[in-house]
Amino acid sequence: MPALKEIEVLIIGGGPAGLCAAAAAAELGAGVLLLERDDKLGGQLVKQTHKFFGSKKQYAGERGYQIGNVLIEQCSAKPKVEVWSEATALGIYDDGVVTAEKDGQHIKIKPKKIIVSTGASEKMIAFPNNDMPGIYGAGAVQTLMNVHGIVPGQRVLMVGAGNIGLIVSYQLLQAGVDVAAIIEAAPAIGGYLVHASKIRRAGVPILTSYTIKEAYGKESVEGAIICQLDEHWQEIPGSEQDLTVDVICLAVGLSPLTELCFQADCQMKYVPELSGHVPLRNEYLETTRPGLYVAGDVSGVEEASSAMVEGRLAGISAAYSLGYGQDTAAKLQEDALAELSELRAGPAGQKTLQGLKKLTEKGGAGC
């Protein structure tokens, strides 16, 4: 590895946003280095076996891992894209240097533009014995089953009825695992009804206004106590139920992985609708630190379809700012922005639009 690696566009994170950013920037002629901390590109797509919604542009009807393979192939076909897998970005510094760790070496990279597409991490919730073996995040369960072919247990309590909770519950059923129940603290499910309908047809109860009170077991999970919540989100005495399960799966949301944005001194704002602290940025996804762009869940948690389009927009914008694609980039940016508007036009997109509106409001920025 060189003592200092110089590159035009550095992309941190090889999920759907990062892959699309790399392909778009290279297509316009920019040299790209893509860092991915895992040993395989694709991010969350590699573990997603369900079919996508949306339009043909976002590969509707294809399964997540298939989309991941398509995006990886598109990147591999671009001679101007260099990929470093098992490489972790460590910091973005005032002088523009980015440090990374790969193969046990500490490497310095000097990019002209940076795209952060680090994705999101799973949220956890507090309850007695929540550190007991047998308690997983939904992403970990998907990785076990869909990547490694290992079931997490025999009987599962799913906590959270958003899309992830519903989809992973169905995948558990397909793998022969019994799903005792899906509980959701909110008074209504958060995921698409088509997913909920498949679960209900399989005989799995979806209990809204319910939460987990505690887990119990000697050396690992043996059961869970759940209880009902009133309209003020308080426990209803006497509503407790004891479920015998050996796995508790938490699908309670995601938080943008914005540590690098904080460290790079991007101006940040807490926006609940975008799932946490996110960087302020313009419509072309450039943050308040000139030359640093964001795309995907790091900029606000949405579906992978939006992450792909944001990645493409960030890649185009970064390459354009370097002087590439002077005749075509502006039109490509407009097309990507129109595509994002279409994706956010329905009821599911209203939350994101509210969050994006808050980003442009004055005041309230910072931690």
Side-chain angles (χ1 to χ4, degrees), residues 98-237:
V98 177
T99 59
E101 184 277 327
K102 179 169 173 58
D103 299 330
Q105 297 181 49
H106 185 255
I107 304 162
K108 294 180 181 179
I109 306 165
K110 188 65 183 288
K112 293 180 180 177
K113 304 292 175 181
I114 302 169
I115 300 172
V116 177
S117 52
T118 44
S121 62
E122 293 190 280
K123 292 179 180 177
M124 296 289 115
I125 54 175
F127 54 89
N129 299 319
N130 71 342
D131 60 346
M132 186 175 285
I135 298 175
Y136 298 84
V141 168
Q142 276 193 311
T143 300
L144 278 174
M145 293 197 304
N146 300 342
V147 177
H148 301 294
I150 300 169
V151 294
Q154 299 304 311
R155 197 161 193 257
V156 177
L157 168 65
M158 180 65 67
V159 182
N163 280 327
I164 293 176
L166 296 171
I167 288 168
V168 175
S169 293
Y170 191 70
Q171 291 172 353
L172 284 161
L173 293 171
Q174 289 177 308
V177 178
D178 183 22
V179 179
I182 301 172
I183 61 172
E184 170 58 56
I189 64 169
Y192 295 139
L193 292 178
V194 64
H195 296 315
S197 296
K198 289 196 297 186
I199 292 295
R200 288 190 171 117
R201 283 197 298 271
V204 177
I206 302 176
L207 306 175
T208 56
S209 294
Y210 268 81
T211 190
I212 182 168
K213 190 170 183 178
E214 67 174 287
Y216 65 85
K218 292 180 181 177
E219 296 183 356
S220 61
V221 170
E222 296 175 11
I225 306 297
I226 64 173
C227 64
Q228 196 170 6
L229 301 174
D230 63 22
E231 64 270 22
H232 303 296
W233 301 78
Q234 300 300 307
E235 295 178 13
I236 298 176

Side-chain angles (χ1 to χ4, degrees), residues 124-356:
M124 296 289 115
I125 54 175
F127 54 89
N129 299 319
N130 71 342
D131 60 346
M132 186 175 285
I135 298 175
Y136 298 84
V141 168
Q142 276 193 311
T143 300
L144 278 174
M145 293 197 304
N146 300 342
V147 177
H148 301 294
I150 300 169
V151 294
Q154 299 304 311
R155 197 161 193 257
V156 177
L157 168 65
M158 180 65 67
V159 182
N163 280 327
I164 293 176
L166 296 171
I167 288 168
V168 175
S169 293
Y170 191 70
Q171 291 172 353
L172 284 161
L173 293 171
Q174 289 177 308
V177 178
D178 183 22
V179 179
I182 301 172
I183 61 172
E184 170 58 56
I189 64 169
Y192 295 139
L193 292 178
V194 64
H195 296 315
S197 296
K198 289 196 297 186
I199 292 295
R200 288 190 171 117
R201 283 197 298 271
V204 177
I206 302 176
L207 306 175
T208 56
S209 294
Y210 268 81
T211 190
I212 182 168
K213 190 170 183 178
E214 67 174 287
Y216 65 85
K218 292 180 181 177
E219 296 183 356
S220 61
V221 170
E222 296 175 11
I225 306 297
I226 64 173
C227 64
Q228 196 170 6
L229 301 174
D230 63 22
E231 64 270 22
H232 303 296
W233 301 78
Q234 300 300 307
E235 295 178 13
I236 298 176
S239 66
E240 293 87 354
Q241 295 183 40
D242 187 339
L243 300 179
T244 301
V245 295
D246 59 353
V247 172
I248 296 169
C249 184
L250 304 177
V252 292
L254 303 170
S255 295
L257 278 170
T258 52
E259 291 88 346
L260 286 173
C261 296
F262 272 109
Q263 194 263 330
D265 205 25
C266 298
Q267 192 173 358
M268 310 291 289
K269 187 172 184 178
Y270 182 76
V271 183
E273 292 86 351
L274 300 178
S275 299
H277 281 96
V278 293
L280 303 186
R281 68 276 188 175
N282 63 22
E283 65 175 334
Y284 302 115
L285 304 178
E286 186 174 17
T287 67
T288 55
R289 173 167 174 153
L292 192 152
Y293 300 78
V294 289
D297 282 351
V298 70
S299 67
V301 175
E302 290 187 80
E303 298 291 329
S305 301
S306 298
M308 289 186 278
V309 182
E310 281 198 342
R312 181 158 25 103
L313 176 58
I316 294 164
S317 300
Y320 191 22
S321 70
L322 290 170
Y324 293 103
Q326 295 301 302
D327 297 329
T328 58
K331 176 63 167 59
L332 292 172
Q333 285 177 319
E334 288 178 17
D335 292 344
L337 288 169
E339 216 170 309
L340 284 171
S341 295
E342 289 176 12
L343 285 170
R344 295 164 178 164
Q350 292 309 302
K351 181 179 174 183
T352 298
L353 292 175
Q354 291 170 8
L356 293 173

Side-chain angles (χ1 to χ4, degrees), residues 12-50:
I12 304 172
L19 288 167
C20 289
E27 183 72 27
L28 289 177
V32 175
L33 173 62
L34 175 60
L35 299 188
E36 170 52 52
R37 68 181 181 182
D38 290 336
D39 60 352
K40 180 177 173 61
L41 296 171
Q44 298 303 304
L45 293 174
V46 301
K47 65 183 77 168
Q48 294 179 345
T49 59
H50 61 282

Side-chain angles (χ1 to χ4, degrees), residues 50-66:
H50 61 282
K51 291 184 178 181
F52 272 46
F53 296 125
S55 69
K56 191 175 181 181
K57 294 177 185 175
Q58 294 92 40
Y59 308 99
E62 297 293 323
R63 300 186 186 277
Y65 72 91
Q66 294 172 322

